[in-house]
Amino acid sequence: MDKVQLVTSLYKIGAIKFGHFTLKSGQTSPIYLNLRQVISYPDLLRAIANLLWEKIRSCRFDSLCGVPYTALPIATCMSLQHSVPMLIRRKEKKAYGTKQKIEGVFKPGEHCLIIEDVVTSGGSILETALDLAEEGIQVMDVAALIDREQGGKESLHQKNYNLHAALTLSEVLAILLNSAPLSEAERLLINQLIAERTHISQRKSYAARASFCKNELTKKLWTLMDEKRTNLAFSADVTSGEELLALADRLGPEICILKTHIDIIEDFHPELTVQLRRLAQQHQFLIFEDRKFADIGHTVKLQYAGGIYHIADWADIINAHSLPGLRMITGLAETGLKMKRGLLLLAQMSSTNNLLTPEYTEKTVAIAKQFPEFVMGFIAQKKLSSDPQWIYMTPGVHLSTEGDALGQQYVTPQQAILENGSDVIIVGRGILKAKDPLAAAKLYRSAGWEAYEESLKQVAPAV
Ligand code: S5P
């Protein structure tokens, strides 16, 4: 049985599951690997033992010791097939008799090879190695079926143990995608996980991202964020023009984007947008009119360039739902490209029970690919693709994640940037409703920036 057959069989018997799981380490994960039931499938158990043996056949060892309990039958199988003695580590110390933790015959100084099914942090392996060491038994090598790539290999290496894993979780995901009879939801989840993992391992700085995009405004924004050291977009959802200008002036130095809903301003006058542009120039931020266009191409073209607001004249960035399809974007792009503007597509929303399904999100990303000169990226709750040209902006960000009475849901800046891989946090009431909006903006700015700097250090993707 080769790796592909083994992984697809493990999926078929339910040893690889997708959902929402809490791992032994306390971390949550959408993937659960449960190899306990392979003892009910002798062919699979034999295949696992064979694969592991291939990985360690050239290592030097006198005995094998499986990490209790799942790896015990695997170690037994290898011991029988290759006539290598086995040791067993008791998890609980015996309260009677010899009270020893390691069962079997051994001599101090002999080499034991540890067998494990799945490595996450490597903690259980280290515990086993410690108990063996207490008896004077040396460990140099560890064989495992799957390395979840969550830092286990590195922490074992620090203690001078070499991990020989037959499969990494990345390989398992790739095999499942190509060969397993997945449901549509599982296929989408795996695609997303692969994209996230690729992205996390190749996380690039904002400055570096500028070279990947085809939209000129996105380049300008990446550079601005990098130089000004802010990934904060302020959602200035106020109804008075005067208040909007006062906030833009006061908070301007803290932000990379000022987001407006121009149609909620009760005393709108065209001079307001002239003043906004002046402040944008003075404090170096971009203006994003959160208009959420969602009509046929002909209508959005008129809404964008004309009406009372003449949005195209003053808003650097606009957004649109992808619902009406490709040609709507053509309607916006005619004006937008002339004016060197940018468009964000709404790929996900923050509100409860919204109708933007995973398929809708995936199709939105596919639509964006057809307009790389105009589309900057997405309004989304998380990074959706490993393509570095797109920028991700996340609304529904608050330091307290309580939500409001009308369906808004919140994540923290840390969750948005570090865990979900977004690039810009959009904060409205978290700042507006604070006693001191400037102090609150500074707080969100540093939380967002710290999360970004932390994300650049991230090497081991947590899946
Ligand atoms: O999914 C979304 C998309 C957007 S653009 N959820 C959102 O909340 N928004 C906008 O972000 C919303 O229209 C509002 O202007 C802002 C969030 O405001 P807050 O006060 O809840 O932070």
Side-chain angles (χ1 to χ4, degrees):
M1 197 181 290
D2 63 16
K3 283 185 191 180
V4 174
Q5 288 163 327
L6 176 68
V7 170
T8 45
S9 304
L10 289 174
Y11 169 81
K12 284 182 192 156
I13 65 160
I16 305 175
K17 281 206 174 86
F18 298 91
H20 188 79
F21 306 101
T22 304
L23 306 178
K24 205 168 97 185
S25 61
Q27 286 173 284
T28 57
S29 171
I31 306 170
Y32 187 51
L33 305 170
N34 173 10
L35 293 174
R36 279 185 287 273
Q37 64 227 48
V38 294
I39 47 175
S40 305
Y41 304 88
D43 287 348
L44 283 185
L45 184 57
R46 193 178 302 113
I48 292 171
N50 288 344
L51 259 182
L52 291 198
W53 186 261
E54 286 311 310
K55 292 298 292 185
I56 48 97
R57 58 186 312 158
S58 56
C59 297
R60 190 186 142 210
F61 52 93
D62 306 299
S63 56
L64 297 170
C65 178
V67 174
Y69 292 97
T70 315
L72 289 183
I74 304 173
T76 311
C77 195
M78 291 167 78
S79 159
L80 286 174
Q81 282 185 339
H82 302 283
S83 301
V84 184
M86 202 170 89
L87 298 173
I88 288 185
R89 170 191 166 232
R90 293 186 162 274
K91 263 187 128 173
E92 303 80 21
K93 207 171 166 182
K94 264 196 332 185
Y96 54 90
T98 56
K99 293 194 183 172
Q100 62 193 34
K101 281 197 206 161
I102 304 295
E103 300 284 4
V105 178
F106 54 84
K107 286 193 291 297
E110 76 169 46
H111 286 96
C112 178
L113 188 137
I114 295 182
I115 310 287
E116 176 63 304
D117 57 335
V118 177
V119 180
T120 307
S121 66
S124 311
I125 294 169
L126 290 175
E127 278 172 23
T128 303
L130 207 69
D131 282 353
L132 288 166
E134 272 179 24
E135 301 291 344
I137 303 165
Q138 295 190 39
V139 175
M140 291 196 298
D141 298 284
V142 178
L145 181 63
I146 302 172
D147 173 9
R148 289 188 67 119
E149 300 165 299
Q150 283 177 239
K153 185 173 181 146
E154 291 72 20
S155 52
L156 290 172
H157 191 71
Q158 274 178 2
K159 305 254 185 237
N160 291 326
Y161 304 132
N162 294 315
L163 176 66
H164 308 269
L167 288 154
T168 60
L169 188 54
S170 301
E171 281 178 274
V172 171
L173 292 177
I175 292 175
L176 289 173
L177 206 55
N178 287 328
S179 313
L182 300 170
S183 70
E184 185 60 12
E186 287 173 335
R187 199 180 61 78
L188 282 173
L189 177 74
I190 294 179
N191 266 321
Q192 201 174 329
L193 288 173
I194 290 175
E196 279 169 19
R197 293 165 74 80
T198 325
H199 203 88
I200 289 173
S201 56
Q202 307 168 343
R203 203 127 179 184
K204 293 179 178 64
S205 69
Y206 291 152
R209 298 271 291 279
S211 60
F212 291 94
C213 40
K214 300 190 182 72
N215 173 285
E216 288 302 318
L217 187 69
T218 321
K219 277 188 196 171
K220 184 174 162 186
L221 177 57
W222 286 128
T223 312
L224 187 159
M225 287 162 69
D226 180 61
E227 288 175 1
K228 204 171 166 185
R229 297 174 65 81
T230 176
N231 52 15
L232 172 64
F234 170 49
S235 183
D237 298 340
V238 290
T239 54
S240 131
E242 203 183 323
E243 202 183 343
L244 176 61
L245 289 175
L247 282 165
D249 196 16
R250 209 153 162 243
L251 274 53
E254 310 300 326
I255 61 180
C256 59
I257 290 172
L258 179 84
K259 187 174 81 63
T260 55
H261 280 295
I262 206 68
D263 56 356
I264 64 172
I265 300 290
E266 287 162 1
D267 53 353
F268 177 80
H269 186 278
E271 180 59 18
L272 175 66
T273 55
V274 176
Q275 294 293 330
L276 272 182
R277 282 224 69 85
R278 189 184 55 73
L279 289 169
Q281 181 62 33
Q282 182 185 334
H283 297 304
Q284 286 299 296
F285 58 77
L286 299 186
I287 304 176
F288 166 17
E289 165 55 16
D290 186 1
R291 173 61 181 78
K292 299 190 181 69
F293 293 100
D295 213 318
I296 58 165
H298 178 69
T299 306
V300 295
K301 187 175 160 182
L302 296 173
Q303 289 171 324
Y304 184 26
I308 327 170
Y309 301 117
H310 291 269
I311 295 168
D313 286 349
W314 53 272
D316 299 292
I317 305 170
I318 48 160
N319 58 353
H321 287 289
S322 54
L323 193 71
L326 281 181
R327 301 310 298 268
M328 174 208 57
I329 301 183
T330 316
L332 293 169
E334 268 182 35
T335 312
L337 284 174
K338 248 188 272 159
M339 314 274 296
K340 297 197 171 31
R341 305 299 193 210
L343 171 71
L344 295 166
L345 290 177
L346 282 120
Q348 290 175 325
M349 288 198 74
S350 60
S351 46
T352 40
N353 301 325
N354 70 71
L355 303 182
L356 278 65
T357 60
E359 289 95 310
Y360 182 94
T361 303
E362 197 181 48
K363 285 184 180 156
T364 303
V365 175
I367 288 178
K369 284 188 194 146
Q370 311 215 20
F371 296 91
E373 284 83 16
F374 186 41
V375 175
M376 301 173 77
F378 306 95
I379 295 288
Q381 292 300 299
K382 49 163 54 183
K383 184 143 274 169
L384 303 167
S385 131
S386 56
D387 186 340
Q389 74 170 308
W390 308 123
I391 191 162
Y392 294 86
M393 304 199 191
T394 297
V397 173
H398 204 293
L399 284 167
S400 131
T401 53
E402 219 162 82
D404 70 10
L406 298 175
Q408 176 67 304
Q409 303 177 107
Y410 288 117
V411 292
T412 61
Q414 169 100 356
Q415 284 168 323
I417 303 287
L418 191 62
E419 291 174 28
N420 298 341
S422 188
D423 301 306
V424 173
I425 48 169
I426 300 178
V427 183
R429 284 165 289 178
I431 291 172
L432 265 179
K433 299 279 179 221
K435 256 196 225 134
D436 180 350
L438 179 59
K442 285 181 193 285
L443 203 64
Y444 278 95
R445 176 190 187 172
S446 59
W449 195 258
E450 274 166 27
Y452 158 66
E453 290 196 314
E454 190 61 34
S455 75
L456 291 180
K457 294 185 211 146
Q458 217 171 26
V459 280
V463 168

